[in-house]
Amino acid sequence: MPNIKVVNMAGKEVGEMTLSDTVFGAEVKSAVLHAAVRAYLLNQRQGTQSTLTRAEVSGGGKKPWKQKGTGRARQGSTRSPQWTHGGVALGPKPRSYRVDLNKKVKRAALFGALSSKVADGKMIVVDEIAATEYKTKNMVAMLNALGAEKKSLIVLPGADETVVKSCANIPGVKTTVFNAINTYDILNCDTFIVAKAAVEKIEEVYAR
């Protein structure tokens, strides 16, 4: 089982904890991670983009000129795609981009993402992440003490409005709770910062 040191918000080591092999010591499969990230990004798309075809553009009911004898190319409508203000040929229409993954693949991808952070030394366990007041500088001080890089994901054991709002204005920093983590956010961050209580809850929920 992988071991990881536990630090406080000042970056000082205060202990050590053993992580679950199932969750934090899983095999990292790039194909599974790719499938999960692709599904996540596609599912963020609304698919509401739409263009007007020649049948939907108003006007153009009259033939611009007679069929023959003008020396110009024959035209049936001023709303054909080659005309200014005409319809769009083969343009996008509303559609669903949704991709579904089965539970086994989702879980394998999540475990792989968590395990990769542990293996790369990019996971930091903090004994407690808390704030007594809405102060961005307190969270910035914590990140600096932990040596967090530009993109950081902070995982809390439960909703904490003070911490969330204190981190809201810090570029590249995202906060979430243990039961809302996903493969994309974990892989997309440079530093994965987790409260010790959140680690225990992640293991409790997913290691079963």
Side-chain angles (χ1 to χ4, degrees):
M1 290 185 177
N3 291 329
I4 192 169
K5 66 179 182 179
V6 180
V7 299
N8 59 21
M9 291 181 65
K12 295 181 180 179
E13 186 173 348
V14 294
E16 190 176 82
M17 74 180 300
T18 301
L19 301 175
S20 166
D21 260 341
T22 304
V23 180
F24 295 99
E27 181 182 356
V28 181
K29 299 179 181 179
S30 58
V32 174
L33 295 178
H34 175 269
V37 170
R38 176 177 175 273
Y40 177 86
L41 292 176
L42 285 173
N43 292 342
Q44 302 307 301
R45 299 188 66 175
Q46 291 182 327
T48 55
Q49 69 276 39
S50 183
T51 54
L52 299 180
T53 66
R54 60 182 294 172
E56 296 168 323
V57 178
S58 62
K62 181 183 177 183
K63 187 174 176 67
W65 49 76
K66 63 180 184 178
Q67 182 81 346
K68 294 177 176 294
T70 65
R72 290 180 288 187
R74 54 195 176 188
Q75 300 291 332
S77 170
T78 56
R79 296 300 179 260
S80 298
Q82 72 269 23
W83 283 74
T84 302
H85 306 303
V88 176
L90 307 177
K93 282 292 183 182
R95 55 162 288 192
S96 171
Y97 289 91
R98 182 157 190 83
V99 173
D100 290 321
L101 294 177
N102 63 51
K103 290 181 180 180
K104 285 186 178 180
V105 174
K106 285 182 181 179
R107 179 163 289 209
L110 181 62
F111 291 174
L114 292 170
S115 300
S116 70
K117 289 301 178 185
V118 175
D120 296 340
K122 298 295 184 181
M123 177 173 167
I124 300 174
V125 178
V126 182
D127 60 346
E128 184 182 12
I129 301 175
T132 56
E133 55 183 342
Y134 297 102
K135 285 285 187 181
T136 298
K137 69 178 182 180
N138 293 344
M139 291 296 108
V140 171
M142 180 193 76
L143 294 171
N144 291 336
L146 298 177
E149 297 179 33
K150 190 172 183 181
K151 282 187 178 180
S152 299
L153 178 64
I154 300 175
V155 183
L156 305 171
D160 190 328
E161 185 181 1
T162 310
V163 173
V164 172
K165 288 191 173 182
S166 296
C167 294
N169 289 331
I170 307 175
V173 175
K174 183 175 182 179
T175 55
T176 187
V177 291
F178 77 96
N179 56 354
I181 56 175
N182 63 74
T183 302
Y184 175 80
D185 284 341
I186 296 170
L187 294 177
N188 191 45
C189 70
D190 297 314
T191 309
F192 185 55
I193 303 170
V194 199
K196 183 179 179 182
V199 174
E200 294 169 351
K201 288 188 176 183
I202 289 171
E203 292 182 343
E204 181 184 347
V205 171
Y206 294 106
R208 288 182 287 180

